[in-house]
Amino acid sequence: MERLQKVLAQAGVASRRKAEKLILDGLVKVNGEVVTELGTKVSRMDTIAVEGVQLTKEKPVYYLLYKPRGYISTVADDKGRKTVIDLVPEIEERIFPVGRLDYDTSGVLLLTNDGDFSYLMTHPKFEIQKRYVAKVKGIPTRENLKKLETGIELDDGRTAPAHVKMTTVDKKTNSAIVEITIHEGRNRQVRRMFDAIGCPVTKLKREQFANLTTRGLNAGEARQLTTHEIKQLRVLAETGKIG
């Protein structure tokens, strides 16, 4: 017997937190009855439906996508915009993006149908590091780079410490390229951090997610994670070290 929200997450319906909301909102039925208690436990013999659709347990799958600019990180869009799922039509499982990269940001994006894995990769308490390369307008001062490193005040709170390195300065175009590594995943966080120091981002790419990069992929291409890579990511979330 397992908790209902865990079963929903493992089946790829949503992250465990979102699965809890589905239950509380009365959108989940077990054996034909609406269930709204989070402590409810179910077995393999139970029939579960979410918003009228019966749950079928899929084999968990894990992909790394080199997301190009011009796609949104969601399963579907009510405005008809292209989504990252459109890039992988050959995948039969009901996958969803692990966290998000905004419309104009490219780089490493994980896709899965495993809600528990998604939770491990995205919750700030597990401190999974993500490295970005940002081209910015203006040349950040040493003082401003220090602000990014130690934490900067945004409208939704102070950011956690970051690793920051300015790699290129172009005085002719008044621009710079800065590498920044963070473990949080707030909405448009990197862009807002640079806005806060007066150096707006003109181009942004997530170069690395934990120990994963886009090496070997062209923009728009995806590959399955290896069993070893999946194990490494789980160990990293649980111990803070690559297994």
Side-chain angles (χ1 to χ4, degrees):
M1 300 286 284
E2 291 187 299
R3 289 178 180 271
L4 179 57
Q5 58 264 40
K6 182 176 181 180
V7 172
L8 295 178
Q10 289 176 335
V13 173
S15 68
R16 194 176 302 192
R17 185 180 298 175
K18 290 183 179 179
E20 290 176 351
K21 188 174 188 307
L22 289 171
I23 295 168
L24 292 172
D25 289 346
L27 299 175
V28 181
K29 289 183 178 181
V30 177
N31 300 326
E33 299 291 331
V34 174
V35 173
T36 57
E37 294 185 12
L38 297 181
T40 301
K41 290 189 175 183
V42 294
S43 72
R44 294 181 181 179
M45 302 300 294
D46 291 310
T47 301
I48 302 169
V50 180
E51 296 183 272
V53 179
Q54 187 168 322
L55 189 67
T56 55
K57 190 171 178 62
E58 297 178 330
K59 176 185 176 182
V61 294
Y62 310 86
Y63 288 87
L64 186 156
L65 170 71
Y66 184 165
K67 178 193 174 297
R69 299 169 69 184
Y71 288 79
I72 60 171
S73 298
T74 188
V75 172
D77 180 58
D78 56 10
K79 297 179 181 178
R81 292 172 295 181
K82 294 180 291 186
T83 78
V84 292
I85 303 302
D86 295 329
L87 294 167
V88 287
E90 73 281 1
I91 298 176
E92 296 179 357
E93 291 82 5
R94 183 173 52 181
I95 57 172
F96 53 86
V98 176
R100 293 192 175 190
L101 290 180
D102 66 49
Y103 184 83
D104 289 320
T105 301
S106 64
V108 180
L109 182 68
L110 302 186
L111 302 166
T112 188
N113 59 354
D114 184 339
D116 279 347
F117 175 80
S118 178
Y119 177 75
L120 288 175
M121 294 300 102
T122 56
H123 197 287
K125 73 178 181 180
F126 298 112
E127 299 192 2
I128 301 296
Q129 301 288 319
K130 282 88 71 174
R131 179 169 60 87
Y132 296 80
V133 175
K135 183 177 182 180
V136 301
K137 185 177 180 180
I139 300 172
T141 64
R142 187 172 300 178
E143 179 183 0
N144 280 335
L145 292 176
K146 191 68 175 178
K147 288 180 181 179
L148 296 177
E149 286 181 340
T150 58
I152 196 161
E153 201 65 43
L154 301 179
D155 57 7
D156 54 355
R158 190 175 185 84
T159 61
H163 298 289
V164 182
K165 179 183 178 183
M166 187 157 61
T167 61
T168 304
V169 172
D170 189 333
K171 293 184 178 179
K172 289 184 179 180
T173 61
N174 188 35
S175 65
I177 295 177
V178 183
E179 290 185 1
I180 180 167
T181 302
I182 62 174
H183 70 260
E184 297 176 293
R186 307 185 205 178
N187 184 40
R188 298 177 66 84
Q189 180 175 338
V190 172
R191 293 180 184 274
R192 290 191 292 133
M193 290 173 73
F194 281 101
D195 283 343
I197 64 168
C199 294
V201 171
T202 59
K203 191 173 183 180
L204 185 63
K205 180 182 179 182
R206 183 154 72 185
E207 288 275 2
Q208 191 165 349
F209 186 105
N211 58 328
L212 300 174
T213 70
T214 57
R215 188 178 297 113
L217 295 175
N218 295 316
E221 292 182 341
R223 69 168 178 84
Q224 279 193 284
L225 295 184
T226 67
T227 301
H228 182 61
E229 287 172 331
I230 298 164
K231 179 181 177 181
Q232 283 187 316
L233 290 170
R234 290 188 182 278
V235 171
L236 178 60
E238 293 164 0
T239 69
K241 299 178 181 179
I242 290 290

